[in-house]
Amino acid sequence: MTPTARTSTRPQPPEPAGLPEPLPEPAREDLRLETVLGALSDPLRLFIVRKLLLEREAFDHPCGWFGIDRPKSSLTHHFKALREAGVIRQRQYGLERRSHVRTDDLDARFPGLLDLVAAWTPVDADFPPRIRKGGTRAS
Amino acid sequence: MTPTARTSTRPQPPEPAGLPEPLPEPAREDLRLETVLGALSDPLRLFIVRKLLLEREAFDHPCGWFGIDRPKSSLTHHFKALREAGVIRQRQYGLERRSHVRTDDLDARFPGLLDLVAAWTPVDADFPPRIRKGGTRAS
DNA sequence: CGACCAGTACGACTTTACTCGAACTTAGCG
DNA sequence: CGCTAAGTTCGAGTAAAGTCGTACTGGTCG
């Protein structure tokens, strides 16, 4: 089918010279290595961060963009975990909540960590299961 | 130091040209980033690995050397977790089981990771609680 | 207004991890 | 042999995480 790739990259809504406020997140100096490593130790979250790092485009991405075949509530859970650990920053743009990696903060506090994540090659090429139609899955 | 620093570094037992076999561990090519990060996401284990990296001496260290005030069974648990994740290698020397970080394997698979861990400065300088006398704690 | 859509909140369940005591194993030593 | 010491194994209790369905919220657009 794929009549309309509704969740793929499309122009950001007008940002009237000021971005929306980021959602609550730890400050750079409060980032803790154990916490960040813990956030990255989940396969799905590692996938998300890698995808953000590797397929970086000009814009942030809503969580539907990742094409992950999991219930929406699970995605919320994992994005929240990443944000609260300080790995990603999220902003609300109308309906969607867009995410990007906090590369500046992470490079400052844990230099080399993101390069490591970006350079790593996953073992399971088919992870995670991709979107299929039907069910109560993520839109 | 205390009068009887029984667990501090002392000469290794004679190794008759062949080291004891390492305990079961994943091969280099089976190391998984998620697993390694998960192993390092525990504060106590991160402390252990850091201590091994920073105070590296000529010899491997038995787990009593770390001076951690926790029950012996807890230490076994954490050292086993590190070994099964592929972070450390353990060998049996008579009574004691000595550990060292698998720097070669980790640098090969995840370059920069150990430098990151070594460079990081822990927030809590008093972690973990040090040895005190009494109780059923680690000897 | 009303339908729709992205995403959240909540709650239940399951799984995993951490923590610890107690009993056991094994090596070295007198 | 019998003691001590280093460490394991087992089992239980508890806390944290992952999973997912259902209901809800809040923009957007006809």
Side-chain angles (χ1 to χ4, degrees):
Chain A
M1 185 172 168
T2 63
T4 48
R6 309 269 291 94
T7 54
S8 61
T9 309
R10 53 187 185 236
Q12 310 275 15
E15 294 148 10
L19 295 165
E21 274 299 292
L23 284 95
E25 63 180 22
R28 172 187 290 196
E29 58 272 18
D30 292 333
L31 297 183
R32 309 187 88 241
L33 182 56
E34 317 91 280
T35 311
V36 171
L37 295 183
L40 295 176
S41 71
D42 180 272
L44 183 52
R45 292 198 292 258
L46 197 51
F47 170 86
I48 291 172
V49 173
R50 265 179 60 80
K51 180 142 182 154
L52 278 176
L53 284 175
L54 298 182
E55 302 179 30
R56 182 194 310 237
E57 297 165 20
F59 309 118
D60 302 349
H61 302 291
C63 82
W65 169 81
F66 295 85
I68 302 171
D69 180 32
R70 296 283 175 89
K72 296 190 293 181
S73 50
S74 296
L75 299 186
T76 298
H77 169 73
H78 286 295
F79 276 92
K80 186 178 178 185
L82 284 172
R83 175 170 49 87
E84 293 183 340
V87 178
I88 65 172
R89 172 167 297 138
Q90 292 186 291
R91 285 192 170 88
Q92 194 78 34
Y93 285 80
L95 269 184
E96 40 191 39
R97 180 167 292 196
R98 301 194 182 161
S99 308
H100 68 272
V101 180
R102 293 173 61 181
T103 46
D104 289 356
D105 291 333
L106 292 170
D107 285 344
R109 290 295 311 278
F110 315 119
L113 178 59
L114 290 182
D115 308 289
L116 183 69
V117 170
W120 163 78
T121 327
V123 283
D124 187 354
D126 272 347
F127 181 87
R130 291 334 199 65
I131 279 192
R132 54 179 151 76
K133 299 295 178 182
T136 323
R137 300 284 146 160
S139 53
Chain B
M1 175 152 324
T2 48
T4 49
R6 307 270 291 94
T7 54
S8 61
T9 308
R10 53 188 185 233
Q12 310 274 13
E15 293 147 10
L19 294 166
E21 272 299 293
L23 285 100
E25 63 180 23
R28 172 186 290 196
E29 58 272 18
D30 292 333
L31 297 183
R32 309 187 90 241
L33 182 56
E34 319 90 279
T35 310
V36 170
L37 295 183
L40 296 175
S41 71
D42 180 273
L44 184 51
R45 293 198 291 258
L46 196 52
F47 170 85
I48 291 171
V49 173
R50 265 178 60 78
K51 180 143 182 152
L52 278 175
L53 284 176
L54 298 182
E55 303 180 28
R56 182 194 309 238
E57 298 165 20
F59 309 118
D60 301 349
H61 300 291
C63 81
W65 170 81
F66 294 85
I68 300 171
D69 180 32
R70 295 284 175 88
K72 298 189 292 180
S73 51
S74 296
L75 299 187
T76 299
H77 168 73
H78 287 295
F79 278 92
K80 185 177 178 186
L82 285 171
R83 176 170 48 91
E84 292 182 340
V87 178
I88 64 173
R89 172 166 297 138
Q90 293 186 290
R91 285 193 169 89
Q92 193 79 32
Y93 286 84
L95 267 185
E96 36 190 44
R97 181 166 292 194
R98 302 193 182 162
S99 307
H100 67 271
V101 180
R102 293 173 60 180
T103 46
D104 289 357
D105 291 332
L106 291 170
D107 284 344
R109 290 295 310 278
F110 316 119
L113 178 60
L114 290 182
D115 307 288
L116 182 69
V117 170
W120 164 77
T121 326
V123 282
D124 187 355
D126 273 348
F127 182 88
R130 292 333 199 67
I131 279 191
R132 53 178 152 77
K133 299 294 178 182
T136 324
R137 302 281 144 161
S139 50

